[in-house]
Amino acid sequence: MKILTICRANVGRSQMLAGLLQKMFPGRTIISAGTKVVSSTTGESMHGTYLKDTKGAEKVIDVLKEEGIGWSGAMRTQLTPEMLEGIDRVIVMSEPEHIPEYLKNYPKMIYWEVADPKGTPIEGHREVRDKIKKLVEENKGLFE
């Protein structure tokens, strides 16, 4: 099974979900992407950059490490329509206004409303991680 996790910038929510899914379902192929993977200051593409080299990703890496998940080597990926080919399940956590039209009506897409932890203290990141973890637990059948 191939699963695609999506948020806006591919720094927080989608990376947390990908890490948690990889740990809970090790036989699955997990791909993480963002709808707008660009620098918030320059607008330059951040596609292909390591999470560990992304300002603001430290807390994401830390809260995954608390779960026994080493995720600093993950890369940020810009979502493209071609990425949907061969995907069995798509979980989107991006704000609705940042979801591209081709994804909005995609039949394998499931939307989870999860707040962006950007700019919050470590506790806020833990809350988001725990919410995502709970959603995975409640929806295990989606990934089996």
Side-chain angles (χ1 to χ4, degrees):
M1 174 177 269
K2 287 186 174 183
I3 303 163
L4 177 59
T5 68
I6 301 171
C7 68
R8 186 175 38 83
N10 196 220
V11 174
R13 298 165 285 183
S14 59
Q15 294 285 358
M16 286 186 212
L17 177 57
L20 290 165
L21 287 173
Q22 196 70 63
K23 181 180 179 180
M24 296 171 78
F25 303 96
R28 309 294 184 263
T29 299
I30 313 295
I31 303 163
S32 181
T35 61
K36 193 174 180 185
V37 182
V38 297
S39 167
S40 58
T41 53
T42 66
E44 176 184 343
S45 172
M46 299 304 287
H47 173 77
T49 58
Y50 286 103
L51 200 58
K52 66 182 178 186
D53 297 329
T54 301
K55 187 178 186 292
E58 305 85 3
K59 294 172 195 157
V60 173
I61 293 167
D62 288 346
V63 300
L64 285 173
K65 193 180 289 185
E66 292 172 359
E67 294 290 321
I69 301 166
W71 210 250
S72 63
M75 295 191 97
R76 295 176 67 193
T77 304
Q78 175 62 53
L79 178 69
T80 64
E82 295 77 24
M83 290 177 74
L84 298 174
E85 293 175 24
I87 296 293
D88 299 298
R89 188 80 62 230
V90 179
I91 307 295
V92 179
M93 294 171 286
S94 180
E95 298 74 16
E97 64 270 20
H98 294 292
I99 300 173
E101 285 301 317
Y102 65 85
L103 186 57
K104 286 182 180 176
N105 297 312
Y106 187 68
K108 298 176 184 176
M109 190 268 273
I110 296 164
Y111 181 78
W112 287 353
E113 191 167 333
V114 178
D116 188 348
K118 181 180 178 178
T120 67
I122 192 78
E123 294 79 16
H125 283 70
R126 285 184 185 118
E127 287 174 17
V128 168
R129 178 205 58 205
D130 292 347
K131 179 174 184 172
I132 292 170
K133 196 172 171 181
K134 184 178 180 201
L135 284 164
V136 171
E137 290 286 342
E138 291 172 349
N139 295 281
K140 270 188 176 179
L142 294 175
F143 310 109
E144 295 176 334

